[in-house]
């Protein structure tokens, strides 16, 4: 096998993204997803509104204390701030690595209603090469798996197809110099308890690492982006779940299925409130230190880093400074949680659930 010419750079990227006290902002919502969030603020989903929103997130002073990387949507990778300076250059000056969402969205599986695989493998290699040329240094691909105990979902065939796609994507991204984040999201929709979430996560994540091995993808040059192990959003157990309970179960599952060589597990927030996401990450890191977990445990949150700041911003330039301050404070709270040192009041507007309804397709 020939050696990857980007090997050293991929190693450096992995190290950078998993440094202590920092994590990743996922600001890579596709046009449809961000449109739903803008609609809540009664804002029109135009390229300029999306650019202005991303300017608030990229340019927030002090966010570099907590962000090692930022995942962008393709459109944003080529956009600039209001003075015309490319976002990529601004991120570079802040020592925040630009990343890129390279999947092109979910697609339904006709034989299994409610389940999806992910599009985007076609032309992936060329697109990755262009994103690298534009300054991206890591990539992300999201698979979404749905739990439905009565119907036996996720089905084995869909679990394996998503794992195969994630591995093909990871191999392609690595060969073009982009460190792949592998995101097998298990959706929180459902009435199932934490035990079911744990069993499904074991099955799904194991299948992903089997597929990565089968396709000879070096896992030390990948990052995992899973959901924390929690009861379904409509489960009775949900009310009683504490950060310590989430931490114990999440760490137990990750230890069972994630190889030690993986440099980092960067969790998604998946509908948790801003406060809940930070507190769970904090509890996880306290436990991980006690148990000497082999990987870095950090965040790659979207909603849980943006929600309060977006509400303050509300599409109005006059609110920009205050919104940026909120964006940065929430980022830094999560930076402290990565160290297991978050305490006191959460800077965000709090414990409002960010569950948006089914995001399967
Ligand atoms: C699960 O979504 C990812 C993490 O965001 P949350 O922390 O809010 O759950 C997120 O990066 C997602 O992959 C992007 O928003 C892209 O999603 P779409 O639905 O636009 O493909």
């Amino acid at each position: 096998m020939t050696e990857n010419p980007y090997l050293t750079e991929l190693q450096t990227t992995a190290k950078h993204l998993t440094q202590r006290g920092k994590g990743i902002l996922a600001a890579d919502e596709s046009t449809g997803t961000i449109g739903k969030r803008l609609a809540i603020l009664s804002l029109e989903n135009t390229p300029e509104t999306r650019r202005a929103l991303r300017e608030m997130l990229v340019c927030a002073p002090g966010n570099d204390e907590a962000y090692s990387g930022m995942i962008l949507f393709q459109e944003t990778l080529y956009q600039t701030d209001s003075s015309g300076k490319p976002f990529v250059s601004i991120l570079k000056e802040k020592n925040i690595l630009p990343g890129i969402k390279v999947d092109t969205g979910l697609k339904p599986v006709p034989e299994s209603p409610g389940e999806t695989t992910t599009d985007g493998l076609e032309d992936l290699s060329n697109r990755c090469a262009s994103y690298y040329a534009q300054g991206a240094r890591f990539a992300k691909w999201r698979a979404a798996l749905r739990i439905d105990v009565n119907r036996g979902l996720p089905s084995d065939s869909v679990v394996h197809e998503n794992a195969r796609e994630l591995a093909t994507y990871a191999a392609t991204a690595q060969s073009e110099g982009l460190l792949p984040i592998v995101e097998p999201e298990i959706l929180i929709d459902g009435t199932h308890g934490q035990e079911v979430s744990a069993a499904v996560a074991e099955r799904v994540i194991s299948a992903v690492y089997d597929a990565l091995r089968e396709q000879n993808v070096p896992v030390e040059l990948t990052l995992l982006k899973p959901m924390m192990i929690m009861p379904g959003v409509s489960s009775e157990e949900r009310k009683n779940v504490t950060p310590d309970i989430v931490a114990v179960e999440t760490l137990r599952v990750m230890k069972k299925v994630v190889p030690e060589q993986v440099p980092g597990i960067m969790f998604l927030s998946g509908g948790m409130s801003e406060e809940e996401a930070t507190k769970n990450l904090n509890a996880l890191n306290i436990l991980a230190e006690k148990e000497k977990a082999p990987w870095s445990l950090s965040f790659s949150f979207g909603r849980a880093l943006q929600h309060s700041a977006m509400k303050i911003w509300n599409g109005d330039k006059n609110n920009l400074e205050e919104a940026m301050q909120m964006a940065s404070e929430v980022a830094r709270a999560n930076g402290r949680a990565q160290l297991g040192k978050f305490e006191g009041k959460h800077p965000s507007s709090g414990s409002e659930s960010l569950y948006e309804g089914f995001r399967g397709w």
Side-chain angles (χ1 to χ4, degrees):
M1 215 188 299
T2 51
E3 192 172 279
N4 185 327
Y6 295 103
L7 180 63
T8 311
E9 189 177 19
L10 291 166
Q11 287 164 337
T12 310
T13 299
K15 234 185 175 160
H16 182 91
L17 291 175
T18 55
Q19 61 191 284
R20 281 178 62 73
K22 292 193 181 182
I24 296 172
L25 169 64
D28 61 322
E29 301 84 2
S30 56
T31 306
T33 302
I34 203 65
K36 290 185 201 142
R37 296 183 193 158
L38 292 170
I40 295 169
L41 303 173
S42 305
L43 296 173
E44 226 189 311
N45 188 9
T46 64
E48 176 49 27
T49 318
R50 296 192 292 273
R51 192 208 60 74
L53 166 65
R54 268 69 189 246
E55 176 164 0
M56 184 269 286
L57 297 167
V58 168
C59 300
N63 63 358
D64 49 338
E65 288 169 33
Y67 291 153
S68 55
M70 205 175 279
I71 318 173
L72 308 175
F73 185 58
Q74 173 174 314
E75 175 186 64
T76 321
L77 188 70
Y78 296 89
Q79 280 178 324
T80 67
D81 73 0
S82 38
S83 75
K85 190 165 179 178
F87 287 142
V88 172
S89 310
I90 298 169
L91 290 172
K92 206 167 168 198
E93 282 169 11
K94 288 180 169 231
N95 207 16
I96 299 174
L97 281 181
I100 178 78
K101 166 188 166 74
V102 299
D103 67 78
T104 55
L106 303 176
K107 64 171 177 218
V109 177
E111 313 79 63
S112 184
E115 293 201 286
T116 54
T117 55
T118 303
D119 257 336
L121 287 179
E122 205 177 303
D123 203 29
L124 181 60
S125 175
N126 287 338
R127 289 191 294 116
C128 285
S130 310
Y131 300 147
Y132 181 93
Q134 180 64 14
R137 287 298 175 269
F138 68 105
K140 198 211 76 176
W141 177 286
R142 172 176 178 251
L145 285 305
R146 178 182 186 175
I147 300 182
D148 184 335
V149 180
N150 296 329
R151 291 179 52 211
L153 304 187
S155 62
D156 275 339
S157 59
V158 168
V159 166
H160 287 107
E161 180 55 13
N162 275 299
R164 188 195 65 80
E165 287 172 354
L166 280 164
T168 306
Y169 136 75
T172 310
Q174 284 177 348
S175 64
E176 299 301 335
L178 301 177
L179 187 90
I181 297 186
V182 171
E183 180 182 1
E185 176 180 5
I186 299 168
L187 301 164
I188 61 169
D189 305 73
T191 52
H192 55 273
Q194 193 180 23
E195 214 178 303
V196 171
S197 296
V200 172
E202 280 184 36
R203 192 153 70 85
V204 167
I205 299 172
S206 301
V208 169
Y209 286 108
D210 286 348
L212 289 166
R213 258 187 304 273
E214 271 160 30
Q215 296 196 39
N216 299 312
V217 178
V219 294
E220 63 278 16
L221 301 177
T222 65
L223 296 172
L224 178 68
K225 176 164 172 167
M227 180 56 182
M228 294 179 196
I229 309 296
M230 306 184 69
V233 71
S234 312
S235 161
E236 280 300 307
E237 283 178 32
R238 186 84 183 180
K239 301 192 267 298
N240 302 322
V241 86
T242 62
D244 288 338
I245 294 174
V246 174
V248 167
E249 203 48 12
T250 303
L251 200 57
R252 184 187 69 76
V253 170
M254 298 301 143
K255 277 184 159 175
K256 216 163 157 186
V257 293
V258 183
E260 286 190 4
Q261 297 82 347
V262 171
I265 304 179
M266 324 299 278
F267 292 94
L268 59 95
S269 63
M272 287 187 268
S273 74
E274 290 164 291
E275 188 175 13
E276 195 182 9
T278 306
K279 287 187 170 170
N280 287 347
L281 182 67
N282 193 59
L284 252 168
N285 273 295
I286 292 172
L287 189 64
E289 187 159 338
K290 267 196 218 136
E291 295 197 6
K292 301 195 178 355
W295 354 257
S296 161
L297 296 174
S298 193
F299 58 91
S300 174
F301 300 154
R303 282 163 281 182
L305 287 164
Q306 299 184 42
H307 180 70
S308 295
M310 246 181 111
K311 270 203 317 200
I312 295 172
W313 168 68
N314 203 23
D316 185 342
K317 276 208 278 296
N318 296 318
N319 302 331
L320 192 58
E321 205 180 309
E322 200 191 328
M324 284 177 159
Q325 195 179 332
M326 173 60 84
S328 212
E329 278 178 22
V330 175
R332 290 198 299 261
N334 284 292
R336 290 197 295 282
Q338 199 289 317
L339 299 169
K341 291 197 165 133
F342 171 77
E343 43 194 33
K345 194 174 161 346
H346 198 273
S348 73
S349 52
S351 52
E352 178 190 346
S353 164
L354 304 181
Y355 174 64
E356 295 175 321
F358 187 52
R359 281 188 74 214
W361 62 88

